[in-house]
Amino acid sequence: MNGQVASVPTHRLRGSLPKRRLVTAGLAVIFLLLLCHLLSLLSYIGFALNYPFQLDYGEGIVWQQARNIWAGEGYGPLQIFPAIVYHYPPVYHLTFEGLAALTGLDEMIAGRLVSIASSALTAVVVGMLTSATIGNAETVRTRILCGAFAGLLFLSCVPVRMWTPLMRVDMLSVLFGAAGLWFVLRALSRPHYIYVASAMFVLGLFVKQISVAPPAAAFLVLLFTHRLLAVRGLAAALVMGLSGLAVEQWLNGSEFLRHIVGYNVNRFALNLLWEILLPQLAIHVAAIGLAVVGGMAAWSHVRHIIHDAGAMAVARRRVADDPRATLTLILIAFLGLKTVLLAAMAKSGANYNYMVDWFSGIAIFAGVAIAPYVAIALGGAMSTPRSLLVKLLFLALPGQLIAMFALYDGQPATASIGERLRQKQPIVDMIAASDRPVISDDMTFPIRAGRKVQWESAITAELGAKGVYDQDGFARLVRAHCFGFFAIDGILGQGVSLSRYQPVVIAAIRDAYPHTRDVGKYTLHFPAAPADPALCASVR
């Protein structure tokens, strides 16, 4: 049974040469579109590396968090002002700050480079996992092309494309998770690699603490197939994880866990399921459908392995003797867990990033699904999937890839940088000239002005809604005119500002900062009177 090859159910084709040419042409179109997506991503990366301000709301606060952590000032007690919450553990922050310190790069460029490199390396790992999942079912050339398809498809998915150039933690955490799965596969033949896999998983958790799906899937399956290996890996992960946690708690006066767990709260926002999740599922339906087909094909190999096994112990031994079967179970478990965790998008602050690692699993199984077509194009057996649905998904994929271009939010060309800088630089200059702290929705503005970000609206609004942060106390500082001005993205009290500012703060800004000026998409609110020295003594 171990040598038995399973793939998508197929039947022989008549008229082999014309149909081989048709399949080859279809694959050529798909790869050409994937390369177009890669070129689009490279263009966006070029823009991002030359653009000095935020492309996403979270970049500015991540930058300030990193500066504080690097200076040994992170994870401090939460105050009315300054009020900075550290949403994540420090590995990403220390990585890009270290890169900036070693190379002299601008910190934002360093942070974006870490994300870009992580995305590229994840695509490589996705390709390798695809090839390993196909196994000896196909030739080496077929596996390489299917792996290339999976890696390019991963980079083309809208959430991945949008998040790749950002100074955010997500791409590095996805890389560590994927790398952990790869080293688990290596550990099946060379057990010492389980410690490398555990290190990858722990690093992933210390980049983003909810990166639990890869280690959970790997160890759950290994406990069934390779119990001793699983115990060794779990023990190593626990030792490394608890040691890291103890060090962080010690360094940060017991505030570390309070920040990454206690302060990491969000209100429910079910509307995000149909505003973000459902449109993404719809636009990627061909890739998702192919992933289901590929998952079923991979599962058929496992089913053949355990066929007629009888006792559970025999089935376990048969799967354990077949690395491809073990990997298949791990990847199915991983994708299943991530599918369930997509429900976490029903909370405020959720965005495309919640789907990035899910699409790594989708890309892997989609790569498995197209293996019969790739084999035909390379001159292999003239067979094609029996199911009409599989054929339709294959035919629909080019249409999906074309439609995805429309969802890239019209990301600007490099030529528009100058215009954007002319709109935003005046705000930076005003912040630099202010004799009081400035609150800005683009938190890169204060940093570019040589100031610190000292208050983040979105997280304080979330904590205020939970009764953890004193919104009334902050509103009193606003009414005392303690701040130079507010730079609001859009119109205060409308659109995105409703989720970033509590009503009590909105009312205080309107009353105490009634003078407005529009600069690009930002509305600047200036104070009606000088600061109250007594109430503003703590605001510097």
Side-chain angles (χ1 to χ4, degrees):
M1 283 292 179
N2 288 358
Q4 189 167 344
V5 170
S7 62
V8 179
T10 61
H11 72 280
R12 294 288 171 180
L13 285 171
R14 295 182 178 86
S16 58
L17 186 57
K19 292 183 179 180
R20 188 188 301 278
R21 288 175 175 171
L22 185 62
V23 169
T24 302
L27 283 171
V29 169
I30 289 171
F31 273 94
L32 179 61
L33 288 170
L34 288 171
L35 289 174
C36 288
H37 277 273
L38 179 61
L39 290 174
S40 173
L41 174 58
L42 291 174
S43 175
Y44 183 28
I45 287 171
F47 173 85
L49 293 178
N50 286 281
Y51 185 64
F53 302 118
Q54 72 178 24
L55 293 168
D56 174 79
Y57 172 79
E59 288 190 289
I61 191 59
V62 167
W63 189 358
Q64 186 62 60
Q65 290 166 345
R67 285 187 158 194
N68 293 349
I69 292 169
W70 188 257
E73 301 170 355
Y75 305 100
L78 184 64
Q79 308 169 65
I80 295 177
F81 187 90
I84 296 294
V85 170
Y86 297 79
H87 311 79
Y88 302 112
V91 166
Y92 173 74
H93 306 76
L94 294 175
T95 300
F96 81 75
E97 282 288 347
L99 177 62
L102 286 171
T103 62
L105 284 170
D106 177 89
E107 291 160 301
M108 173 170 277
I109 291 177
R112 288 175 173 169
L113 280 174
V114 169
S115 294
I116 292 162
S118 298
S119 187
L121 289 172
T122 300
V124 172
V125 177
V126 163
M128 294 191 300
L129 289 171
T130 302
S131 177
T133 306
I134 295 170
N136 293 329
E138 302 291 353
T139 65
V140 172
R141 288 196 303 161
T142 296
R143 296 200 302 270
I144 290 174
L145 277 177
C146 289
F149 165 83
L152 289 171
L153 180 63
F154 170 74
L155 293 175
S156 299
C157 292
V158 175
V160 179
R161 195 266 192 186
M162 299 301 296
W163 231 252
T164 287
L166 301 184
M167 187 168 61
R168 298 292 302 268
V169 304
D170 304 273
M171 300 315 302
L172 185 59
S173 72
V174 171
L175 172 61
F176 282 133
L181 295 178
W182 172 252
F183 282 112
V184 166
L185 174 63
R186 297 294 305 274
L188 299 181
S189 56
R190 299 182 180 181
H192 61 277
Y193 276 111
I194 195 64
Y195 302 116
V196 182
S198 295
M200 294 295 102
F201 291 145
V202 170
L203 285 170
L205 288 167
F206 273 82
V207 173
K208 189 174 182 179
Q209 63 271 35
I210 60 172
S211 303
V212 296
F219 289 127
L220 282 172
V221 172
L222 288 181
L223 284 170
F224 171 70
T225 61
H226 300 74
R227 290 176 185 170
L228 180 58
L229 192 66
V231 170
R232 291 166 64 182
L234 281 168
L238 284 172
V239 169
M240 288 185 282
L242 291 175
S243 297
L245 180 59
V247 169
E248 287 295 337
Q249 283 288 92
W250 175 67
L251 288 175
N252 297 293
S254 302
E255 290 289 324
F256 179 70
L257 277 176
R258 184 173 288 115
H259 276 268
I260 69 169
V261 179
Y263 293 155
N264 215 334
V265 297
N266 295 87
R267 292 165 286 181
F268 284 109
L270 292 174
N271 61 300
L272 294 180
L273 292 180
W274 53 82
E275 291 177 5
I276 296 179
L277 177 59
L278 292 183
Q280 291 303 311
L281 297 180
I283 196 65
H284 294 90
V285 65
I288 295 169
L290 284 174
V292 172
V293 172
M296 293 172 64
W299 169 250
S300 70
H301 174 71
V302 179
R303 189 176 66 248
H304 282 296
I305 291 292
I306 63 177
H307 184 63
D308 296 331
M312 181 65 71
V314 176
R316 182 182 68 82
R317 187 166 59 252
R318 288 183 177 180
V319 173
D321 289 340
D322 190 308
R324 179 184 165 203
T326 303
L327 175 62
T328 294
L329 289 177
I330 290 173
L331 291 175
I332 289 174
F334 164 69
L335 191 54
L337 286 171
K338 283 305 305 179
T339 300
V340 172
L341 291 174
L342 289 179
M345 293 184 70
K347 64 178 184 179
S348 61
N351 210 321
Y352 295 116
N353 54 323
Y354 281 64
M355 303 183 74
V356 169
D357 46 354
W358 184 72
F359 274 113
S360 68
I362 292 296
I364 289 169
F365 284 120
V368 173
I370 71 161
Y373 292 106
V374 174
I376 291 170
L378 292 176
M382 287 303 298
S383 58
T384 191
R386 287 195 187 105
S387 170
L388 176 62
L389 175 61
V390 180
K391 297 175 184 176
L392 290 175
L393 289 170
F394 179 74
L395 293 172
L397 188 59
Q400 171 195 298
L401 293 171
I402 293 171
M404 282 161 57
F405 281 108
L407 288 188
Y408 287 161
D409 287 354
Q411 289 300 327
T414 306
S416 69
I417 289 180
E419 179 184 350
R420 286 167 171 256
L421 294 183
R422 284 192 294 273
Q423 289 180 350
K424 296 182 177 183
Q425 189 59 43
I427 303 177
V428 175
D429 295 339
M430 284 186 278
I431 293 173
S434 176
D435 60 351
R436 286 170 275 179
V438 173
I439 306 299
S440 173
D441 281 350
D442 187 329
M443 287 170 280
T444 63
F445 289 167
I447 298 175
R448 292 296 182 194
R451 312 288 280 270
K452 284 186 174 183
V453 177
Q454 295 180 280
W455 189 82
E456 183 202 347
S457 59
I459 191 61
T460 53
E462 299 295 334
L463 294 174
K466 299 289 184 179
V468 178
Y469 176 76
D470 185 1
Q471 288 281 335
D472 291 330
F474 182 76
R476 285 193 291 272
L477 296 178
V478 175
R479 293 185 182 278
H481 308 103
C482 296
F483 306 101
F485 61 90
F486 286 78
I488 304 296
D489 186 350
I491 300 175
L492 184 65
Q494 298 181 24
V496 70
S497 71
L498 287 174
S499 63
R500 294 178 183 170
Y501 296 88
Q502 288 280 300
V504 64
V505 175
I506 291 175
I509 295 172
R510 284 173 171 165
D511 291 345
Y513 289 74
H515 307 301
T516 62
R517 174 183 169 187
D518 293 333
V519 180
K521 70 171 185 173
Y522 291 89
T523 304
L524 309 187
H525 288 254
F526 295 94
D532 184 321
L535 290 176
C536 298
S538 62
V539 177
R540 294 184 294 274

